[in-house]
Every structure is written in structure tokens, then in C-alpha cells.
DNA sequence: TTGACGTGCAGTTAAATTACAGCATTTAAT
DNA sequence: ATTAAATGCTGTAATTTAACTGCACGTCAA
């Protein structure tokens, strides 16, 4: 009754750093934590710590927006398209006044 | 460069109480603060204070998701469809793998 | 098997968020 | 002109979040 899942999705997307991570993962998937860190520095200009980026990635994963897989000792992060993004869109579309009243 | 507006939109939507307010405003528009309070009680079963609901409405308005107008001493709250909801959808749609890479 | 590499986990701090109460302000009605 | 109704504004406490530091763990290579 609380739709906890939408909470997680929208909260994950409410942070600019996390949205930029998603944007970069959509261009280049299977990125490790270090690669995401490096891209954050070069693209955003701010050097966030490895632990901070790791935390952001965990938030994105708990929301179902990205998926991970281990390649040896490296964890690859990729976009989980189609899944939760669509859930959020479905909710939003109900309030665009498609027909009118409902 | 920070897209502050998307921050506000997604953050506003990350709270279940606020999403339910939007859902009810889509059914019945031009609701006063007291009407929103009353609906929260009857629909959600939880009695949040007037100040708390007022704060939630302000968050929704600052995100551009609802609009307000004064009718005498009563402030009418209505859904701002088409506007910011569409902005959020546009952002999300880029990561649904429409074509593929981009 | 030793050591470097890639992550995870625990704990800290400052700032933001959510809930509330109390008082002030404005408007309509008597 | 008073009063009641509908909100706004200020401040407080508890919770959460975003950033960090430090240490520990598992894996691959030499």
C-alpha cells in the first residue's frame, strides 16, 4: 500500500550525481567502481571519494535502476533499462492529462 | 549544469504521501489545504497535521508539479499536468533503450 | 605466499527532511 | 469593529542523507 519501490526509484533519481552516473552508464556499460569514479572527475570536475561513489551505486542498485555482475575481482555496473525506468514513466503518465478527467 | 529542476521534481515524487496527494488532485482539482488534509485521513488512514500537509504542498509547488490560486481566503491547489511531469518522462525515456546505444 | 588491487563494512559529521506546536496574518461574516 | 476561518511563518526534535576516514576482506599475479 506504500509502494516502497517507487520511493526508491524517485529518490535515487533526485540526486544529480546519480543521474549523471546513469547517463554515462547508458553510453558505456559494464563500468567498474574505479571507472565510474574516474568519469565523475573528468566529466563533472568534482572528485568524490571511492566510498561516496560506491554508496551512490548501491542506492541505484537498490532502486533497481542498475544491475551488477562480478568479473573476477571487478564488479561491473550496467544500466537496468526497461525495468524500473518504465515503472516511473507509467506512474508519471497518469498525470499528463491524456484524455482529461481521469 | 546541475539541472536543479529535475532534483526538485524527482525528490518531490520520492515521498508516498506526496504522490497520493497528486493522485487525488488528478481526480478532484482546486482542493484547499483542509480538503487535502481530510482526504489524507480518509484515504490513507493517517492523520498528518495541517502544517505537515502544507509543507508537502509547498514541495510539490516548488517542483512545479502543482499550481495554486487564491479564492478569497482559500488557496486552491491543482495539478500542473503537462509541465514538469513531462520533463521527468523525457529524462527517463532516454534510458529505456529505445533504439539501442543512444 | 606475499602483496597489490578492487570492494565492502562500520562509524563520524554536517546538512537536509519530516513531523510537529505556537503565534501571526489576512479575509469573510456578523 | 470583532470574531472565526484558512493559511503562513518561525522554531524544535527525530530521522535520513551525503560526504568522508579507516580498516577488513577476497582475488589475482608474481
Amino acid at each position: 500500500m506504500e509502494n516502497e519501490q517507487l520511493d526508491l526509484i524517485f529518490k535515487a533519481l533526485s540526486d544529480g550525481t546519480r543521474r549523471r552516473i546513469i547517463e554515462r552508464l547508458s553510453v558505456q556499460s559494464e563500468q567498474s567502481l574505479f571507472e565510474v569514479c574516474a568519469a565523475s572527475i573528468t566529466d563533472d570536475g568534482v572528485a568524490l571519494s571511492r566510498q561516496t561513489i560506491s554508496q551512490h551505486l548501491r542506492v541505484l542498485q537498490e532502486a533497481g535502476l542498475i544491475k551488477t555482475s562480478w568479473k573476477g575481482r571487478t564488479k561491473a555496473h550496467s544500466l537496468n533499462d526497461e525495468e524500473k525506468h518504465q515503472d516511473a514513466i507509467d506512474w508519471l503518465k497518469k498525470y499528463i492529462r491524456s484524455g482529461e478527467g481521469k
Side-chain angles (χ1 to χ4, degrees), chain A residues 51-98:
Chain A
Q51 291 85 346
T52 298
I53 298 287
S54 173
Q55 200 165 261
H56 282 306
L57 288 170
R58 188 165 52 79
V59 171
L60 288 170
Q61 199 214 325
E62 285 173 356
L65 294 169
I66 67 174
K67 54 191 172 189
T68 62
S69 64
W70 284 93
K71 313 277 186 188
R73 61 183 166 185
T74 300
K75 192 179 190 179
H77 303 80
S78 299
L79 210 55
N80 200 5
D81 34 42
E82 316 258 346
E83 304 288 342
K84 302 302 179 183
H85 295 82
Q86 189 61 55
D87 290 352
I89 289 180
D90 289 345
W91 189 90
L92 282 162
K93 276 198 171 174
K94 291 188 287 187
Y95 311 107
I96 294 291
R97 191 178 49 169
S98 41

Side-chain angles (χ1 to χ4, degrees), chain A residues 7 9 11 18 39 42 48 50 54 57 69 78 97 99 101:
Chain A
D7 279 27
I9 295 170
K11 183 156 293 186
R18 285 194 289 265
T42 58
L48 294 174
R50 175 180 61 81
S54 173
L57 288 170
S69 64
S78 299
R97 191 178 49 169

